[in-house]
Amino acid sequence: MKGLLKRSLKILAAGLLLLCALSFAEVLAFRFFNPPFTTFMAWRWVASRIQSGPDEEPYRIVRIQWRTLRQVSPNLVKAVLAAEDQRFLSHHGFDFIEIQEALREMLSSRRIRGASTISMQVARTVFLWPSRTWLRKIYEAYYTLLLELTWPKKRILEVYLNTVDWGEGVVGAESASRKYFRRSSAELTPSEAAMLAAILPNPHYWSPVKPTEHLRERQRKIMNDMEKMPVSRVLR
C-alpha cells in the first residue's frame, strides 16, 4: 500500500513538473513570437461550432493586425493605462491597492467591480479559457507571475494592445481604430484614444460611435488622467 502511494505521488509530482515546464516554455516563446490568435478566440470558435444552429454563422477567428508599441499612438497607450491599470509600471502583476478598494466597495455597497491588472488580462486572454471558476483564477495568478518574471513591461503592454477584445469581431488596437474611426492606431487623437479605452470594460455593449452620457463621462475622466501616465519607459 505504501509503495503504491509513493508511486502515485511520484507520478503526480512528475506530471506537475511537466505542466510547469510546458507552461514556462509557452510563456517564454510568446515573449519573442507574436501569438497568431488567443485561447479566448479558440474557445469561442469551438463553442460556436458546437452550439450554432444550421442557419447561424459560426464564429470566425479574427486575424490580428499586429502593431508594435512604437506603431501605436502614445495617446492610446496613455488612455489604456489611465483606464485599465494606472499602476501597471510599478506593480508586479497584482495591484493590491486596487484589490483592497474593490473589496471595500463590495462590502460597503455590494457592488462588484474588477481589479484585474493588464498583466492578469493578458494571462487570461492569451493562455487560458473563458470561465469564472476558482481553478481558472488560480491558473490566471500562476500565468501572471510567469509573465512578470519572463516578459518586460513593454512586451506585456504590446501583447495586451494587440489581443484585447474591442467588440464583435474586433481584436486589437489596429482593428478597433480602423473599425470605429477609419484610421490607423498610430493616428488616434487623445479624444479618440480615450473613447476606445472607455469601452474596454464592456466592448460588446458600449460603442464609441454612439456613446452614452456615462461613456462620455468615462472618456473625460480618462483624458484627465492620461497626462499622469509615465509612458516614456515603455515607449523607448
Side-chain angles (χ1 to χ4, degrees):
M1 188 68 178
K2 287 184 179 180
L4 178 61
L5 179 60
K6 188 177 289 187
R7 283 196 299 273
S8 299
L9 289 174
K10 283 183 178 180
I11 292 171
L12 179 61
L16 288 173
L17 283 173
L18 180 61
L19 284 175
C20 288
L22 289 174
S23 58
F24 182 82
E26 179 186 26
V27 171
L28 193 60
F30 284 147
R31 173 178 176 172
F32 304 102
F33 300 100
N34 299 331
F37 56 86
T38 68
T39 54
F40 259 49
M41 294 162 69
W43 275 87
R44 192 172 178 190
W45 181 85
V46 171
S48 73
R49 291 299 186 279
I50 296 171
Q51 298 170 2
S52 60
D55 299 325
E56 293 178 312
E57 182 71 20
Y59 173 78
R60 294 181 180 179
I61 292 180
V62 180
R63 184 179 69 86
I64 298 175
Q65 301 178 56
W66 202 275
R67 295 295 183 270
T68 66
L69 275 186
R70 289 188 177 184
Q71 293 173 317
V72 175
S73 169
N75 293 322
L76 186 59
V77 176
K78 292 177 183 178
V80 165
L81 290 178
E84 293 292 293
D85 192 354
Q86 294 194 6
R87 284 177 283 271
F88 172 71
L89 295 175
S90 59
H91 66 61
H92 299 289
F94 306 95
D95 188 343
F96 293 106
I97 296 174
E98 189 68 21
I99 291 170
Q100 285 179 342
E101 290 177 357
L103 286 172
R104 192 179 300 115
E105 187 171 321
M106 183 182 71
L107 292 173
S108 62
S109 63
R110 297 187 180 277
R111 179 174 171 268
I112 299 175
R113 67 176 176 89
S116 293
T117 62
I118 283 175
S119 302
M120 293 167 72
Q121 292 182 57
V122 170
R124 181 167 64 231
T125 302
V126 177
F127 299 102
L128 300 174
W129 63 95
S131 167
R132 293 182 179 273
T133 63
W134 281 106
L135 178 62
R136 209 291 306 276
K137 290 183 182 296
I138 291 169
Y139 272 110
E140 183 180 313
Y142 168 68
Y143 271 93
T144 299
L145 287 172
L146 285 184
L147 286 175
E148 289 283 338
L149 285 170
T150 58
W151 292 13
K153 289 287 188 179
K154 182 176 181 178
R155 178 59 176 169
I156 295 173
L157 188 55
E158 179 182 314
V159 173
Y160 174 83
L161 286 170
N162 282 284
T163 59
V164 68
D165 181 358
W166 245 304
E168 188 62 37
V170 185
V171 176
E174 186 66 18
S175 179
S177 301
R178 293 194 178 278
K179 178 178 176 64
Y180 298 124
F181 298 115
R182 301 291 188 267
R183 65 176 70 199
S184 166
S185 58
E187 302 169 331
L188 288 170
T189 66
S191 175
E192 291 167 342
M195 182 57 76
L196 278 184
I199 73 167
L200 281 174
N202 200 344
H204 292 267
Y205 178 75
W206 287 328
S207 169
V209 180
K210 297 178 180 178
T212 63
E213 184 54 36
H214 173 68
L215 200 56
R216 290 197 181 279
E217 286 179 14
R218 282 183 53 80
Q219 179 193 33
R220 287 191 287 270
K221 183 180 184 306
I222 290 167
M223 290 185 71
N224 287 335
D225 290 340
M226 281 169 64
E227 291 309 313
K228 304 172 190 174
M229 299 298 104
V231 298
S232 58
R233 175 179 152 194
V234 291
L235 294 179
R236 283 200 296 265

